[in-house]
Amino acid sequence: MILYSGKLIDKKRPLDLLRAFQLLENENALLFYLGDGPLRGKIEEEVKKHQIENVIISGFINQSEIGQIYNMSDVFVMCSGIGETWGLSVNEAMNFGLPIIVSGTCGSAYDLVENGQNGFIFKEGDIGEMKMHLENLCKDEALRVEFGKKSSE
């Protein structure tokens, strides 16, 4: 399961992740949006329009239950743009031993993610690069496990 955790707002660029997910060549992949916000309707519209399967938008989930979602996840993605000063969800995902895919615009990208060690850093808005990293982690369980261990450290 690919996890996005955050508000569904423009600066966090959740539609970029949907576009990358749509390009994946993995019918078993699941994209889980943990959160809600003004872009929820647009995401749902795109899912329906392009018949994208395996996308869940949870809406608000109580903080006490969020750990269950992280524990069910295989990969964490933060694709935010300008205005994302840190990205606390990256810290949370690493705490749960997840490999990270993060845009280089996020403040936490270079402090927390060692590119090629516990995750990948991609250029903000580069759907193709994000898709490539998603594909690599979705197809390679050993790599996910290795990156997850590094995140836990």
Side-chain angles (χ1 to χ4, degrees), residues 31-124:
L31 174 57
F32 193 99
Y33 285 99
L34 173 60
D36 210 342
L39 290 179
R40 181 178 183 154
K42 180 69 174 164
I43 294 168
E44 290 171 337
E45 181 183 304
E46 290 292 312
V47 166
K48 185 176 182 179
K49 178 181 176 183
H50 298 287
Q51 300 177 346
I52 307 169
E53 296 187 14
N54 300 331
V55 177
I56 296 170
I57 305 172
S58 70
F60 175 79
I61 292 184
N62 192 298
Q63 188 71 27
S64 64
E65 299 171 18
I66 287 176
Q68 296 172 17
I69 306 300
Y70 278 99
N71 278 325
M72 293 186 314
S73 301
D74 299 298
V75 177
F76 176 81
V77 179
M78 177 169 280
C79 43
S80 297
I82 298 294
E84 186 68 71
T85 54
W86 183 256
L88 190 58
S89 297
V90 173
N91 296 72
E92 291 175 348
M94 290 176 68
N95 190 51
F96 285 93
L98 292 177
I100 309 296
I101 299 175
V102 63
S103 74
T105 308
C106 297
S108 62
Y110 299 98
D111 288 330
L112 298 179
V113 179
E114 295 178 47
N115 201 29
Q117 299 296 308
N118 70 321
F120 296 110
I121 300 170
F122 69 95
K123 183 180 178 198
E124 172 195 336

Side-chain angles (χ1 to χ4, degrees), residues 5-24:
S5 178
K7 292 179 182 173
L8 302 177
I9 57 177
D10 286 329
K11 82 172 182 182
K12 293 191 178 281
R13 304 182 65 111
L15 286 161
D16 285 1
L17 178 55
L18 182 64
R19 290 180 183 109
F21 180 77
Q22 182 181 6
L23 297 172
L24 278 182

